[in-house]
Amino acid sequence: MKGSLKTCAVALLVMFALLVVGCQRQEEAQAPQRVDLIYVEWSSEVASTNVVAAVLQEELGYEVRLTPVSAAAMWQGIAGGDADAMVAAWLPTTHGHYLERLREQVVDLGPNLDGTRIGLVVPTYVEISSIDELNENAERFDGRIIGIDPGAGLMSKTEEVMEAYGLDNLRLMEGSGATMTAALADAINREQWVVVTGWTPHWKFAQWDLKYLEDPQNVYGGDEQIHTIVRQGLEQDMPEVFRFLQNFSWTTDDMQQVMVWNREEGATPYETAKRWVAENPARVQAWLR
């Protein structure tokens, strides 16, 4: 009798253990896969990355982790397989040196947006029109070019510009996209001369009357594109995600709409992205075909 009870107890324990293991495996099977997106905190890339995240989560059911980093860390994150994708590669000029070095370690899915541009930007009331006029007017600009984060391709390209044009009377100030626009706003409110590193699309062009300084030596290059870059192996690991990212593309008007919404009081980038996705179902479905 005792032996039978002991046998039954062991059998029950085994059944319970198998049930627990089975439940754990079922939960693991049902848990959504995670997609890691990496980006630079430019207002344009905040907009595009959150729209991609919203589609992945709201339409396809993936869990998404967003990681803001410097441009160098963004490229290295994809190359090293620490992140799955980015939709923030400005090519061929701004991030060209990163792609040249890491081309064999990443997968370029091509442009997701056409018609971008980088350069030095001033308010329209500033009475010069070309970069080669900056040095002789350095005092009017307080001897400064207001920049963004030091790892940005725009900053390294601006250093090349300063060398090419011999801008010895000016210093390139490091900061962020937010500090750059804050300095620009302050100068405009005071009607002072100011020059900043700029890019299009950006909400500042809708906010103020601005102009690019001409670049006779074409150091900044012409119009650019923003590309989608993914890690090697993503197509095999997450074919649905890969296909969506391959199809993802939109316009400067689309992006600027999201950026403007992000400026509204109380707005958050992800909720704004969900709003854009909800209002553009045909575009989203084209990405998911």
Side-chain angles (χ1 to χ4, degrees):
M1 184 68 176
K2 290 182 179 179
S4 299
L5 288 173
K6 186 175 181 181
T7 301
C8 288
V10 170
L12 286 171
L13 286 172
V14 171
M15 290 176 62
F16 179 74
L18 291 172
L19 180 63
V20 170
V21 171
C23 289
Q24 287 176 338
R25 288 178 177 172
Q26 186 176 13
E27 287 177 2
E28 289 173 1
Q30 292 175 348
Q33 284 183 283
R34 189 178 76 191
V35 180
D36 287 304
L37 301 179
I38 198 166
Y39 66 105
V40 287
E41 285 191 286
W42 293 5
S43 57
S44 52
E45 311 328 313
V46 170
S48 59
T49 304
N50 275 275
V51 164
V52 167
V55 174
L56 286 170
Q57 290 196 148
E58 309 299 328
E59 302 294 324
L60 295 178
Y62 290 87
E63 177 189 351
V64 178
R65 181 170 69 180
L66 303 181
T67 305
V69 294
S70 68
M74 177 177 70
W75 279 88
Q76 194 56 54
I78 300 296
D82 298 317
D84 294 310
M86 62 168 164
V87 290
W90 286 55
L91 296 168
T93 305
T94 309
H95 291 162
H97 57 299
Y98 294 122
L99 180 59
E100 184 177 351
R101 188 170 74 248
L102 300 170
R103 187 182 303 275
E104 301 303 317
Q105 299 169 250
V106 301
V107 179
D108 183 359
L109 298 186
N112 60 62
L113 187 143
D114 285 307
T116 64
R117 181 181 178 182
I118 61 171
L120 293 180
V121 173
V122 298
T124 54
Y125 60 73
V126 170
E127 297 166 1
I128 66 170
S129 59
S130 177
I131 294 173
D132 55 16
E133 298 177 80
L134 280 171
N135 227 25
E136 62 194 75
N137 291 281
E139 288 188 11
R140 298 290 301 272
F141 294 102
D142 198 25
R144 302 183 304 165
I145 296 173
I146 309 300
I148 54 173
D149 52 292
L154 175 56
M155 291 291 278
S156 58
K157 185 57 65 175
T158 300
E159 290 172 356
E160 292 179 30
V161 165
M162 295 181 72
E163 182 176 353
Y165 286 91
L167 302 182
D168 301 326
N169 297 332
L170 294 112
R171 293 173 297 138
L172 179 59
M173 309 300 294
E174 297 177 354
S176 66
T179 59
M180 177 271 290
T181 52
L184 179 61
D186 183 64
I188 290 173
N189 289 337
R190 299 169 182 268
E191 295 189 7
Q192 294 176 336
W193 283 28
V194 63
V195 56
V196 304
T197 54
W199 63 94
T200 305
H202 192 284
W203 59 263
K204 64 180 177 285
F205 289 95
Q207 183 82 21
W208 302 295
D209 292 326
L210 305 172
K211 63 183 179 182
Y212 280 97
L213 292 178
E214 295 171 8
D215 177 15
Q217 297 187 41
N218 199 36
V219 181
Y220 279 120
D223 287 351
E224 291 198 284
Q225 299 171 322
I226 305 179
H227 283 224
T228 300
I229 307 290
V230 304
R231 65 170 173 82
Q232 292 184 346
L234 182 68
E235 183 175 13
Q236 292 73 36
D237 297 340
M238 298 181 180
E240 185 180 45
V241 173
F242 183 90
R243 187 167 58 251
F244 157 56
L245 291 171
Q246 202 168 34
N247 290 336
F248 172 67
S249 67
W250 60 345
T251 68
T252 55
D253 287 343
D254 295 329
M255 180 182 275
Q256 288 182 163
Q257 176 66 79
V258 177
M259 286 192 286
V260 169
W261 287 347
N262 280 340
R263 298 273 298 159
E264 295 175 355
E265 185 176 355
T268 63
Y270 188 73
E271 290 303 316
T272 295
K274 285 172 59 178
R275 174 182 171 185
W276 190 91
V277 167
E279 293 187 10
N280 293 271
R283 182 74 60 84
V284 172
Q285 288 308 309
W287 298 338
L288 300 179
R289 68 177 185 273

